[in-house]
Amino acid sequence: YPYLVGNGYCEEIFYNVTLGLNVAECGYDGGDCDNICVVPNPSWLNDTVCDGGVYNTPECDFDGGDCVEFNTLYPNCTTAYPYLVGNGICEEEDFSFNGTILQIDFNVSECGYDGGDCVSSSPSALPSSIFSEEPSAFPSSNPSKSPSTLPSTFPSIEPTSTPSMTPSVSPSSTPSVSPSSTPSSTPSEEPSSSPVNCLDRDGYWTIAGENRKWCTWIKRADTAKRCIDWNLQMDCQATCNQNC
């Protein structure tokens, strides 16, 4: 369709057919497609998913802004499938995607080792901020850091193999609290706390359908037996001789 080149319309897509006129060889459709965002699916722009290729271009505002963060994190990661980077799956070398084998390797430093998905199989671009719990199998020939000029503020959990000849801190010459010069010669006359007096419940109350002053009633005869039979030890503590 040479007559479409330079006709004043950007015909990258013409009646749902991709013509391929928006390329350098065709002068970007004879200049018709300069600075114009032409994509197969305009609905993919600004849909929160970073789509590569013609979508991630300045003319399309980097997929309507969807690829701004991706381009900032991985400026040298050129791919038509940026949404696969950091999707939780390590895509390296040839891998299957939607039934198609893609010959792409995201496990490279330019793509952040697939956005961190392949970190376990690749060296980290930055040293880890967390120390390994286990020592290295092979010690380094050179120390990684110079020794600290100041001692640690935290004591070692394990004792050193050789004890220090002198204590690190001198003991106090005097105790923090002075003991009494003479012990007490006699015990205290009063107990440390006053004993609780045993009390009888006042008034009438009903037990087994009988309403009476029970503490007065049990004093009249066979008090100990009545205390037990009628379960009055708690209500009539004084009369029942409870050890309060």
Side-chain angles (χ1 to χ4, degrees):
Y1 306 96
Y3 56 88
L4 296 178
V5 177
N7 67 345
Y9 298 96
C10 179
E11 282 110 356
E12 172 64 14
I13 302 173
F14 186 68
Y15 289 102
N16 295 325
V17 177
T18 301
L19 302 179
L21 300 179
N22 188 19
V23 294
E25 293 80 0
C26 295
Y28 300 104
D29 196 13
D32 294 338
C33 293
D34 287 346
N35 300 320
I36 297 178
C37 178
V38 180
V39 292
N41 294 288
S43 62
W44 290 7
L45 297 171
N46 193 25
D47 64 346
T48 71
V49 178
C50 177
D51 303 290
V54 295
Y55 297 90
N56 190 14
T57 59
E59 292 79 10
C60 292
D61 195 23
F62 303 106
D63 196 18
D66 293 337
C67 293
V68 172
E69 181 179 4
F70 177 85
N71 296 338
T72 302
L73 294 174
Y74 315 111
N76 299 317
C77 182
T78 304
T79 174
Y81 307 94
Y83 49 84
L84 295 179
V85 176
N87 66 344
I89 302 173
C90 177
E91 284 104 358
E92 56 182 340
E93 299 179 355
D94 298 343
F95 62 93
S96 176
F97 177 69
N98 288 341
T100 303
I101 299 298
L102 301 181
Q103 295 180 341
I104 303 174
D105 188 2
F106 291 127
N107 189 16
V108 292
S109 60
E110 292 81 359
C111 296
Y113 302 104
D114 197 11
D117 295 337
C118 298
V119 168
S120 60
S121 59
S122 301
S124 173
L126 297 175
S128 172
S129 59
I130 304 175
F131 295 104
S132 172
E133 296 181 357
E134 298 296 330
S136 172
F138 301 97
S140 171
S141 58
N142 295 314
S144 58
K145 292 183 180 179
S146 301
S148 172
T149 57
L150 297 176
S152 170
T153 57
F154 299 97
S156 172
I157 297 177
E158 299 294 332
T160 58
S161 57
T162 305
S164 172
M165 299 298 294
T166 57
S168 58
V169 179
S170 301
S172 173
S173 58
T174 57
S176 58
V177 178
S178 300
S180 174
S181 58
T182 56
S184 174
S185 58
T186 58
S188 173
E189 296 179 357
E190 300 294 332
S192 57
S193 60
S194 300
V196 179
N197 294 326
C198 291
L199 300 175
D200 281 351
R201 181 174 174 179
D202 293 332
Y204 292 83
W205 71 94
T206 302
I207 298 178
E210 296 188 31
N211 188 34
R212 64 179 68 181
K213 282 189 175 182
W214 290 96
C215 293
T216 301
W217 175 74
I218 60 176
K219 292 179 182 178
R220 295 174 181 173
D222 202 4
T223 300
K225 184 176 185 303
R226 288 184 174 186
C227 286
I228 297 173
D229 290 347
W230 292 92
N231 193 23
L232 294 169
Q233 291 92 336
M234 295 302 297
D235 290 312
C236 306
Q237 296 175 354
T239 301
C240 291
N241 294 322
Q242 295 299 300
N243 185 18
C244 301

